[in-house]
Structure formats: C-alpha cells, structure tokens
Amino acid sequence: MKKEIFIGMFVGLIANSIGLIIAATLLGNGDDFTNVIKAASEEGFLGKLISLGAILNLIAFFIFIKKRQDYRARGVLLITVFIAVFTFVFKLF
C-alpha cells in the first residue's frame, strides 16, 4: 500500500515538472526555461506558473482512477495538495 502511494506521489511530481516545463515554454515567448522561471519569480507569478504545471496531475489522477489504482491516485492527490499549499505559502512571502 505504501509503495503504491509513493509511486503515485512520484508520478505526480514528474507530471507537475513536465507541466511546469510545458507552461514555461508556451508562455515564455521563446525564452530559455531558466530565464522564464527567473522572470516569473521577479514579476511575482511563479506560483501561478507552478499551478498551471499541476494540470497534468489531473490527467494522471483520472488515469489511475480509471485503472482502479486508488492508492496511486491518492499519491497524486497528496502531491497536488502539497503543491497547492506550497504555492499558497510561496505567494505569502
């Protein structure tokens, strides 16, 4: 059971990372990924960019639910909640 939740958390982190890269590439107007992240941090919308990256977690979550892999879906959900809390705390500071 714990292994399945860990796999779901790992998939959630990978999906969020890929989503962040895609969002930065699409919204970056052709700039380098690191430049987009730096600019987003300086302009105060890095949290929004990270939240956009979490959209891929939704896809992973529903794939696990459809395959009846509930514990993996729970791991993806845990990472998504963690990212939401991280984004909220990051926005405060």
Side-chain angles (χ1 to χ4, degrees):
M1 179 172 74
K2 289 181 182 181
K3 179 182 175 185
E4 294 295 316
I5 292 174
F6 179 74
I7 290 170
M9 291 173 70
F10 182 72
V11 169
L13 281 174
I14 296 299
N16 193 9
S17 299
I18 292 170
L20 177 63
I21 291 168
I22 291 171
T25 303
L26 291 176
L27 300 175
N29 296 327
D31 289 340
D32 185 29
F33 176 73
T34 55
N35 292 337
V36 172
I37 297 299
K38 286 179 187 176
S41 178
E42 291 171 0
E43 296 176 14
F45 67 90
L46 182 60
K48 294 177 185 178
L49 201 59
I50 293 171
S51 297
L52 280 174
I55 291 175
L56 287 182
N57 285 357
L58 183 67
I59 296 169
F61 177 77
F62 282 117
I63 288 172
F64 286 143
I65 290 294
K66 187 174 181 176
K67 290 183 175 183
R68 297 184 185 258
Q69 296 175 338
D70 295 335
Y71 290 110
R72 290 184 182 189
R74 186 180 296 178
V76 172
L77 186 63
L78 285 171
I79 285 297
T80 305
V81 169
F82 173 76
I83 290 168
V85 170
F86 173 76
T87 305
F88 178 72
V89 169
F90 186 77
K91 185 77 171 171
L92 289 178
F93 299 106

